[in-house]
Amino acid sequence: MLQDLNQVYERDRAVWNSCARTYEEQIVGGHPDVTAYEEFEEDLLDRILLHLIRDRKTKVRLYDVGCGSGRLHLRYALKSVLPASLPYEERSRIRSAQRVKAGYVFDSVLSHGLESIGGVDFSAEMLELARRKLRRAGLGTLLGNRLFLDQGSAFDLPLFSPYPLPFLVTVCNSIGVMQGPKGAEALFRSMCRAVEGSGGIALISSYRKEAIQSFALSNYESTMNVCGQPRWLRPDSYADARHILVPQAYKRAYDPSGEILVDVFNRKGQLLHPAVALRRDPSAVDYAIRTGHIRTYSDYESYWYSWDQIQAWMDTLWPKDRAYHLEGCKIDSLRAGPVQLAVLDAGNHLKDLVQRWSV
Ligand SMILES: C[S@@+](CC[C@H](N)C(=O)[O-])C[C@H]1O[C@@H](n2cnc3c(N)ncnc32)[C@H](O)[C@@H]1O
């Protein structure tokens, strides 16, 4: 890694360690626009796994790069593990967890072909949340044999062997929080290196810069108690480490309002100032729209990369004849409007499936 990438990496690691718990509560299981995106991705991954396992008779190893609190681990472990195969005392917890969402219900195809679910994240706090979540769901005995959580860098992925087929994913715009454009480039390289020799698959799902105005502004405004006050909102009187600004409601995508009401708390959780109005500053908003660069007053940074930028990385860093750049809205216009997918299909497993989405 380059020296400056290293420094941003350490800074971001501290940011993610400190926001892990609120990220889990307010974003992974909270913001309606984010959960719509997550559910789109999960249905898409189900479809790809079904194609690989059922149609192509392939055994698969799913590996989530930037796995955070183990959203995909939980889903795919619940879908693919028969409660009867686990210790007696865990079974009722698994059965209850499988009833929480339709997407958690046991699936015999996945049980047959999904050999393991792994993932890597640089944040120890995030990984601890994942372990706790998996144990609570009765899946603790699978940690270390069928479920793997590695602490490390997305830029130093191991070389995967061909069997079971490695299917690496980076979801929920994680590329956008991986240390800026240099980090994104390192991710493209690292994922390619990891699967190229084994004929595996790498998929990067991200938000598009073109959706900053319609999606990103309201999204970050209504989650500022997780990531900090966006720099386009004024005043910044409480945008410091002594205060927590809690939006009064989730502001939804396409909400044109330039204002949001927040309750200001101190670190002890005492309400100091109710209903403080924060307003958008047009020139700071313009910077975010022009650059795709989201910044808050808490060192949190995210990039929403343009279609052309992702295409440029694919063209220069991935083999051209095995890569697909897909528009989310062509696959699912209701939930994936702001999404793009970069897919490297080194072993040519997905051609038939992808053709249906590229029209
Ligand atoms: C947007 S969250 C997504 C978490 C999870 N994939 C999900 O969908 O719920 C991004 C995750 O990437 C991790 N991360 C950021 N940069 C990383 C890096 N260079 N190497 C490994 N993990 C990183 C963060 O700790 C965080 O958990």
Side-chain angles (χ1 to χ4, degrees):
M1 270 189 273
L2 300 169
Q3 182 58 22
D4 55 342
L5 182 55
N6 243 331
Q7 282 160 357
V8 188
Y9 180 94
E10 288 308 328
R11 183 207 62 188
D12 282 2
R13 191 142 71 114
V15 170
W16 280 96
N17 276 331
S18 71
C19 77
R21 199 174 46 79
T22 37
Y23 177 82
E24 170 71 8
E25 289 165 8
Q26 302 288 319
I27 299 187
V28 179
H31 195 295
D33 293 324
V34 180
T35 48
Y37 175 24
E38 290 170 351
E39 284 165 12
F40 156 72
E41 289 181 332
E42 290 163 5
D43 288 346
L44 179 84
L45 296 185
D46 284 2
R47 187 66 195 87
I48 295 175
L49 287 167
L50 201 68
H51 177 72
L52 295 170
I53 296 168
R54 187 193 57 194
D55 304 342
R56 297 185 59 91
K57 316 268 178 273
T58 312
K59 301 263 187 199
V60 181
R61 165 205 294 211
L62 182 64
Y63 194 86
D64 184 0
V65 180
C67 63
S69 54
R71 171 167 67 96
L72 298 184
H73 284 76
L74 181 67
R75 177 187 177 85
Y76 287 105
L78 290 174
K79 279 175 103 69
S80 60
V81 169
L82 253 186
S85 67
L86 289 178
Y88 189 78
E89 56 285 5
E90 306 281 28
R91 292 180 196 171
S92 66
R93 275 197 284 167
I94 295 197
R95 288 201 185 94
S96 315
Q98 283 173 330
R99 281 195 289 269
V100 169
K101 274 195 195 178
Y104 290 169
V105 169
F106 176 77
D107 180 319
S108 58
V109 174
L110 291 183
S111 172
H112 168 72
L114 185 55
E115 295 270 302
S116 69
I117 304 129
V120 64
D121 203 284
F122 68 3
S123 159
E125 294 294 327
M126 279 292 192
L127 293 171
E128 191 44 39
L129 281 175
R131 277 185 213 102
R132 257 186 262 152
K133 202 153 79 174
L134 294 167
R135 286 193 199 108
R136 256 200 320 271
L139 296 160
T141 54
L142 298 179
L143 280 165
N145 56 76
R146 211 181 142 118
L147 293 178
F148 300 94
L149 290 161
D150 305 324
Q151 189 177 355
S153 168
F155 312 143
D156 296 321
L157 297 172
L159 302 185
F160 284 78
S161 57
Y163 307 106
L165 184 79
F167 179 18
L168 271 57
V169 298
T170 299
V171 290
C172 206
N173 201 39
S174 294
I175 185 173
V177 296
M178 288 183 172
Q179 295 77 64
K182 279 188 180 149
E185 198 178 313
L187 178 75
F188 266 92
R189 284 186 201 285
S190 166
M191 287 184 85
C192 182
R193 206 170 43 236
V195 302
E196 209 179 10
S198 55
I201 298 165
L203 178 150
I204 299 175
S205 161
S206 65
Y207 284 129
R208 298 175 59 159
K209 185 176 109 174
E210 294 78 2
I212 287 273
Q213 182 147 34
S214 52
F215 262 76
L217 298 180
S218 52
N219 195 317
Y220 288 95
E221 286 169 6
S222 57
T223 55
M224 74 180 93
N225 51 327
V226 182
C227 307
Q229 178 177 329
R231 285 188 181 251
W232 60 79
L233 288 178
R234 305 279 190 270
D236 58 4
S237 332
Y238 304 112
D240 57 42
R242 288 176 297 130
H243 299 101
I244 301 172
L245 280 63
V246 182
Q248 291 198 336
Y250 284 126
K251 204 169 171 189
R252 298 296 307 268
Y254 302 111
D255 183 336
S257 144
E259 183 179 288
I260 185 162
L261 293 179
V262 297
D263 294 330
V264 179
F265 292 84
N266 65 17
R267 288 274 151 194
K268 290 184 188 147
Q270 294 159 324
L271 179 62
L272 302 179
H273 309 286
V276 173
L278 302 179
R279 293 191 182 81
R280 291 179 184 170
D281 169 61
S283 67
V285 164
D286 182 59
Y287 170 84
I289 293 171
R290 242 183 328 103
T291 58
H293 186 192
I294 309 287
R295 292 178 305 161
T296 74
Y297 287 96
S298 314
D299 268 354
Y300 173 89
E301 281 192 278
S302 175
Y303 285 82
W304 289 34
Y305 295 115
S306 67
W307 176 268
D308 291 346
Q309 176 61 82
I310 292 285
Q311 185 64 52
W313 282 320
M314 291 174 66
D315 288 344
T316 50
L317 304 171
W318 283 4
K320 274 203 185 54
D321 56 334
R322 291 291 150 92
Y324 307 101
H325 193 181
L326 304 171
E327 291 176 87
C329 62
K330 289 200 175 157
I331 305 172
D332 182 337
S333 61
L334 291 179
R335 296 179 299 177
V339 176
Q340 60 185 324
L341 303 161
V343 184
L344 169 59
D345 180 19
N348 210 13
H349 301 277
L350 300 179
K351 198 167 169 213
D352 302 344
L353 193 62
V354 164
Q355 260 167 7
R356 300 177 210 169
W357 297 328
S358 316
V359 194

